[in-house]
Amino acid sequence: MSTAPVATDAGRMPRQIPFIIGNEACERFSFYGMRNILIPFLISSMLLAYLPAGPEREGAAKDIFHTFVIGVYFFPLLGGWLSDRYFGKYNTVLWFSLIYCAGHACLALFEDSRNGFYAGLFLIALGSGGIKPLVVSFCGDQFDQTNKSKAKIVFDAFYWIINFGSFFASLLAPLLLRSYGPAVAFGVPGVLMFIATFVFWLGRKQYVNVPPSGHDPDSFLNVVRTALRERREGQGNAGSLVAWTGISVAVLMLALWALKAAGVALPWWPDSFGFVITACLALGVLIAAGGWGASLQLERARGRHPDAAVDGVRAVLRILIVFALVTPFWSLFDQKASTWIIQGNAMVMPHDQWWWPSWLVKEPAQMQALNPLLVMLLIPFNNLVLYPALRRMGFQVTALRRMGWGIAISGLSWVVAGMLQLWLDGGSEVSLAWQGLPYLLLTFGEVLVSATALEFAYSQAPQAMKGVIMAFWYLTSTFGSLWVLLTNAGVRNDAVTAAIANTGLSENAFLMFFFAGFAFVAAAAFAAYARRYPMQDNYRVAGVA
């Protein structure tokens, strides 16, 4: 059902699409503009002046950055739920965009106030995360059977715009911070976000607004709840026991954090486990225990729910295992905006080389622009050159194989970064240009993992469960940053620090090789699970809406 007039230009591009594309272009610039200067700003700002310059301040900056990333990829759960249940996509995107604008304003105004600046980060995480699962699907709502062939053009434009915005934001925002200070560097992305919101609002009278679906009695959570609650004579309740154990552990963890925060002496509960780490661990326990418990008793939901809904939940639970094995990739990928910037600060800008664009690249943080640029080059290269060549050689380029190799190649990028760190630790001057090699490998891994995972999840999940899958996909980034926070917390332990020192490596080099090993272990586990994964095909039948 649509609240907009039925289009009379059947088969043509919807006239409202430019408003959505314009909104996306400005929003992506605003997000990546502030995100990619966050680490350089925090290291040099007064916000962390109470910490000595060097590893301690850099570690605190990384904690703040990855806590922010956790929020960005957690709040899609809230935005998707509010949109589907109550307000619809347009209203939810508009309201969360206004919150987003307020967050940018806080960053620009409160560069010397921890409370004000951190409030701004929270508001941006809430606003950005809240609209993240909605804009693309809202764009899809503008098409119907008469013009659905035009949708692919628009989705390709979406992908291009995201990388276009990221590329220029990564290049320009560090220059703004360098030349004009944080108020301007954070203010310009804020202006772009305001423009994004205004452009989106301008198209309000032309949008097709699909109303919220409301309560779904056969939703993912309702089927899981039924499976766990249903009792069968002569059968045990192992699934319920597993789920309740998970709930108890999650509640206990949160209670221990609260007691520690209240000043109760709990020497065996880590001091570094703040609310964010504890809440994410509790969420992970709930998902793992609830999913495992539901899988043990899922057949009990048949009869109370349609077979299609029960089968859909089983498909989602299988996909969740794949997603869990992908989370180490994000722990590597998101550190390009934290750990790799810190490493770049210790490297030498090769201004004396004729090939180096000194007129443009003046800050190590600008190296992040390589990522979107390489993405735009690698995806067509893979689709037009690499994959066809591998098929001619007899290799089956399946989605799961691409993802497994992507995780492994990302690990290799961190081996290279670790070797560069060893070079730096040895006292050598290392050109920043060498970071181009790990960026190339990491981006190649990203293309294999991220783009393929969405294709894989779409094909495996039934139509009614595709929204649930997207929500869980965003959580993979949340847990990726959780592993980074846990690692950073671990290296603050005296015993761990001593063990690292005994290896003869610096802390930075050790952690780089550690994360590389983490990725290699994840890739091996992924390959083992992929061999026995039962592939499905849930693409829509031609001609069926």
Side-chain angles (χ1 to χ4, degrees), residues 296-427:
L296 296 175
Q297 298 183 183
L298 190 57
E299 292 303 310
R300 299 184 186 185
R302 293 194 190 276
R304 299 284 299 274
H305 299 279
D307 287 349
V310 177
D311 292 339
V313 170
R314 189 171 296 284
V316 170
L317 295 177
R318 286 195 296 261
I319 295 169
L320 286 184
I321 298 175
V322 175
F323 282 2
L325 295 171
V326 170
T327 60
F329 162 78
W330 292 113
S331 70
L332 276 65
F333 179 79
D334 282 327
Q335 286 189 84
K336 69 180 176 58
S338 58
T339 302
W340 284 11
I341 289 181
I342 292 171
Q343 183 189 60
N345 288 338
M347 302 173 88
V348 176
M349 196 83 68
H351 290 303
D352 58 335
Q353 301 297 319
W354 64 268
W355 44 265
W356 184 258
S358 297
W359 57 275
L360 179 61
V361 181
K362 303 177 185 295
E363 292 291 326
Q366 291 177 277
M367 290 295 286
Q368 293 176 89
L370 283 175
N371 176 248
L373 177 62
L374 288 169
V375 167
M376 290 188 282
L377 295 173
L378 284 172
I379 283 189
F381 171 79
N382 287 354
N383 291 333
L384 299 177
V385 179
L386 180 61
Y387 297 156
L390 290 173
R391 292 188 187 101
R392 287 194 297 269
M393 296 168 61
F395 293 101
Q396 293 297 318
V397 191
T398 65
L400 289 176
R401 286 179 178 173
R402 276 179 274 165
M403 293 167 67
W405 276 106
I407 298 171
I409 292 171
S410 300
L412 183 60
S413 75
W414 278 74
V415 172
V416 176
M419 294 174 67
L420 294 177
Q421 189 63 45
L422 291 178
W423 198 359
L424 284 168
D425 294 340

Side-chain angles (χ1 to χ4, degrees), residues 246 249-251 253-254 276-288 479 482:
V249 170
V251 171
M253 293 170 69
L254 292 171
V276 171
I277 289 180
T278 305
C280 287
L281 287 173
L283 177 62
V285 169
L286 284 176
I287 293 174
F479 285 104
L482 172 63

Side-chain angles (χ1 to χ4, degrees), residues 56 129 277 311 434 484 534:
E56 192 171 349
I277 289 180
D311 292 339
W434 280 108
V484 178

Side-chain angles (χ1 to χ4, degrees), residues 166-190:
S166 174
F167 175 71
F168 281 100
S170 300
L171 278 179
L172 299 178
L175 294 181
L176 292 175
L177 182 64
R178 172 193 176 103
S179 302
Y180 300 103
V184 173
F186 288 116
V188 169

Side-chain angles (χ1 to χ4, degrees), residues 145-214:
Q145 289 293 320
T146 66
N147 59 4
K148 63 182 181 182
S149 62
K150 302 292 190 299
K152 184 181 185 305
I153 299 172
V154 173
F155 288 133
D156 286 345
F158 244 89
Y159 165 78
W160 189 86
I161 280 292
I162 288 171
N163 286 281
F164 179 84
S166 174
F167 175 71
F168 281 100
S170 300
L171 278 179
L172 299 178
L175 294 181
L176 292 175
L177 182 64
R178 172 193 176 103
S179 302
Y180 300 103
V184 173
F186 288 116
V188 169
V191 171
L192 266 293
M193 188 58 222
F194 176 80
I195 294 173
T197 306
F198 180 68
V199 169
F200 184 74
W201 175 81
L202 285 177
R204 67 195 182 282
K205 295 183 179 180
Q206 300 184 45
Y207 295 138
V208 174
N209 290 309
V210 177
S213 57

